[in-house]
Amino acid sequence: MKKIQGIHNDRGYTELRIWLGPKRNPDGSVNRPYRRIFGAYTLPNILRAKEHMDQVRRDFKAGKMPKPEPKPILFTQAADIFYHRHFELRQRSHKSKRNARSLLNNLKTYWPTRCLDSFKPIDIEQYREAMTKDRTGSNGRTKKGLGLGTINHHQSILSSLFERMDEYVKREEIDPVRLPEFNPCLYVAQPSTEHLKRERVASREELKNVHRWASLHDPEMLEAVKRAILSGLRKEDMRRMQGETRIRTLTGKTKRLVALPLDWSKAVNLSNWQKRWEALRENCDMQDFHWHDWRHTGATMLKELGVAEEIIQEILAHSNIQQTRAYINRKEERLRPAIEALKRELDVIMPSVTAA
């Protein structure tokens, strides 16, 4: 085949190297040639290089400069770009930034030398398997693997990283980099975590047991429990509102405004919190109860009192009503009327037969 000017055999690879404009700029600086590699030095790649060269020259004459060739990028570099643009440059809470930084640092430690364009779905599957297994630490102790909800969150962040990097390149916010042909996280199934969602609510009997024990042994803990149920505030927000005559604060998690007609001018002693809370749970036989469940309890009691869902949503500072319904609508309670109606109808048609 006749040699084409601008296309060369560079150590077995098809190299396109052409000058666009003069070799020296008017200010005296040296202009670099446009360069691109098209794989092995074969006829199909030479024809591809020739077609691309003609297109670049046409664009240059029309005033369009060619885009630089995408360069490989390490996963660690992509993670830094993603964190800077997606978290640091946006209005994120300190807690959100801290959690994202910790998660991305774990991912960078797992893939310290991997290029971003080399990721496949099997890599994500291997990561999930490795992180969910129990492993022995350097001190000889067994470290428990990540839970299902946590590893799903890791995969979601990874998926977001691949999508955002693609957007940054398309919007020309960063230099072109090599990316996977597709988002590998989209081809790895995430098991459902519906069965892990808590629906624990304190019963009336449990509330009486808490009052009976705490009034004798820890009255201030009893007051803290009442405040948690009344306000629906999380523990960290309750600590910040100690001594206030009127509840008016931005929640630490969602930064939504909470304004409630409660007087907390008398501060409650919250020192040695964990030990006191464990003692209350143990003595009231509520070992499976979390402090956050008081928030669920208060919302459920409001619903039973006939309070509108929109009011409960405002008290809990939820961004949408679906979050609130997850707090107040336990499946058993929702299904109970329908099941009981069906049972009554079935008893009429098919009465129970008692053994003689």
Side-chain angles (χ1 to χ4, degrees), residues 104-249:
L104 290 171
N105 284 339
N106 289 338
L107 295 173
K108 286 159 66 176
T109 303
Y110 189 81
W111 289 302
T113 58
R114 284 292 296 273
C115 286
L116 192 64
D117 61 327
S118 65
F119 275 81
K120 305 294 182 188
I122 191 171
D123 298 316
I124 312 301
E125 292 174 354
Q126 290 173 350
Y127 174 77
R128 289 183 63 100
E129 184 178 356
M131 291 295 105
T132 50
K133 282 183 178 178
D134 295 346
R135 50 194 184 279
T136 305
S138 56
N139 56 0
R141 295 182 179 180
T142 301
K143 188 176 181 181
K144 195 173 182 181
L146 300 179
L148 183 59
T150 305
I151 198 65
N152 281 353
H153 179 58
H154 282 218
Q155 184 174 334
S156 298
I157 291 291
L158 261 176
S159 179
S160 181
L161 184 149
F162 288 112
E163 290 175 1
R164 296 296 175 270
M165 288 298 295
D166 187 40
E167 290 179 8
Y168 300 153
V169 171
K170 287 179 179 177
R171 294 199 296 253
E172 299 183 357
E173 296 179 10
I174 61 174
D175 293 334
V177 296
R178 293 182 189 172
L179 299 170
E181 295 180 3
F182 52 85
N183 186 342
C185 295
L186 299 181
Y187 293 85
V188 178
Q190 290 191 26
S192 173
T193 57
E194 281 293 323
H195 63 287
L196 300 178
K197 290 185 178 180
R198 293 184 61 79
E199 294 186 354
R200 183 72 164 89
V201 175
S203 65
R204 300 181 73 86
E205 189 61 35
E206 285 175 329
L207 289 173
K208 290 179 181 178
N209 290 339
V210 169
H211 179 268
R212 190 180 302 117
W213 183 88
S215 59
L216 294 175
H217 300 91
D218 197 344
E220 295 208 359
M221 176 60 77
L222 177 60
E223 180 62 25
V225 169
K226 287 183 178 179
R227 290 184 178 187
I229 297 175
L230 282 171
S231 66
L233 289 177
R234 299 173 179 85
K235 186 165 58 178
E236 58 272 17
D237 294 324
M238 283 182 58
R239 288 180 183 274
R240 287 192 294 109
M241 294 307 296
Q242 285 277 50
E244 297 289 336
T245 57
R246 181 166 175 259
I247 304 301
R248 187 175 180 83
T249 182

Side-chain angles (χ1 to χ4, degrees), residues 342-354:
L342 178 61
K343 184 176 181 302
R344 287 194 298 270
E345 183 68 18
L346 198 60
D347 287 342
V348 172
I349 300 172
M350 305 170 64
S352 300
V353 179
T354 56

